[in-house]
Amino acid sequence: GGDYYDFSPIDHERLGMVVADVSGKGVPGAMIMASTRTLLRMLGPQCGSAAETLRQTNVQVARDIKRGMFVTAMFAILNVRTRELAVCSAGHNPLALYRDRLTRVELVNPGGMALGFDKGPIFNRTLQERVVTLEPGDRVVMYTDGIVETMNEKLEEFGEERFFRFVLSHARMQ
């Protein structure tokens, strides 16, 4: 499949987290995702910020990707000491953030377009980074449309609302 998730150390106190989805299927989609994975793992420690990592990744992806293909990605960097999570989206599904103190799910969805559509100027202008501070008991859920578009035997999609209710109802599990 074209869905991908990963955890990668940025430095001794920061952890990179990514979930991504490529538009193409089969071998071409797998090759684009493999190269995107390599870029994210290589550039994360060099760039230091979630936004700059996606900017630099986009430069390479846009140069090599076949017209009509693209990659959506949510890239976040967690500072394990300060509990700050810097979140950046390249046209991806929002991050679901369960706030334990408030017992609710917030959506973190900074602006941005998918990797590969534009070689830089428009991509860079639309890309935003949002920093949230996590509190004890908070949970972060990153996902792809493969979850919310999954269908049951009646061909009904699981859907975002049902997914967010699921996150809320299971947030306090170990």
Side-chain angles (χ1 to χ4, degrees):
D3 291 1
Y4 163 68
Y5 73 93
D6 201 3
F7 300 92
S8 178
I10 302 296
D11 56 36
H12 70 280
E13 65 181 29
R14 294 181 304 152
L15 177 67
M17 302 179 291
V18 64
V19 63
D21 188 7
V22 65
S23 63
K25 303 292 181 216
V27 173
M31 291 183 71
I32 291 297
M33 190 55 78
S35 65
T36 302
R37 174 200 182 271
T38 301
L39 288 165
L40 290 167
R41 285 184 143 256
M42 179 183 71
L43 293 169
Q46 290 177 13
C47 295
S49 80
E52 190 57 26
T53 300
L54 286 182
R55 280 188 196 98
Q56 294 301 318
T57 299
N58 181 64
V59 169
Q60 300 300 318
V61 170
R63 186 180 329 173
D64 296 336
I65 202 165
K66 189 173 103 179
R67 186 168 174 81
M69 288 182 73
F70 58 89
V71 177
T72 67
M74 176 72 69
F75 188 73
I77 298 177
L78 173 64
N79 184 312
V80 295
R81 185 179 52 75
T82 64
R83 295 191 317 261
E84 289 182 329
L85 182 69
V87 181
C88 205
S89 176
H92 199 75
N93 302 82
L95 179 145
L97 172 59
Y98 170 75
R99 294 290 194 177
D100 188 52
R101 186 174 50 84
L102 304 170
T103 61
R104 74 169 187 221
V105 174
E106 297 176 5
L107 300 182
V108 180
N109 197 15
M113 67 188 309
L115 300 164
F117 275 137
D118 174 72
K119 290 190 164 105
I122 298 170
F123 182 89
N124 293 342
R125 216 173 22 254
T126 62
L127 194 66
Q128 298 173 354
E129 184 174 283
R130 181 167 165 209
V131 177
V132 294
T133 301
L134 302 177
E135 298 174 14
D138 287 355
R139 304 281 195 257
V140 173
V141 182
M142 298 166 72
Y143 62 99
T144 69
D145 60 6
I147 296 292
V148 295
E149 292 177 359
T150 298
M151 292 187 193
N152 63 16
E153 61 280 348
K154 296 178 188 174
L155 300 179
E156 300 166 326
E157 283 189 354
F158 190 62
E160 284 188 340
E161 288 307 313
R162 191 179 309 174
F163 174 68
F164 299 140
R165 284 194 310 270
F166 179 86
V167 169
L168 183 62
S169 66
H170 292 82
R172 290 196 167 155
M173 294 181 72
Q174 293 295 322

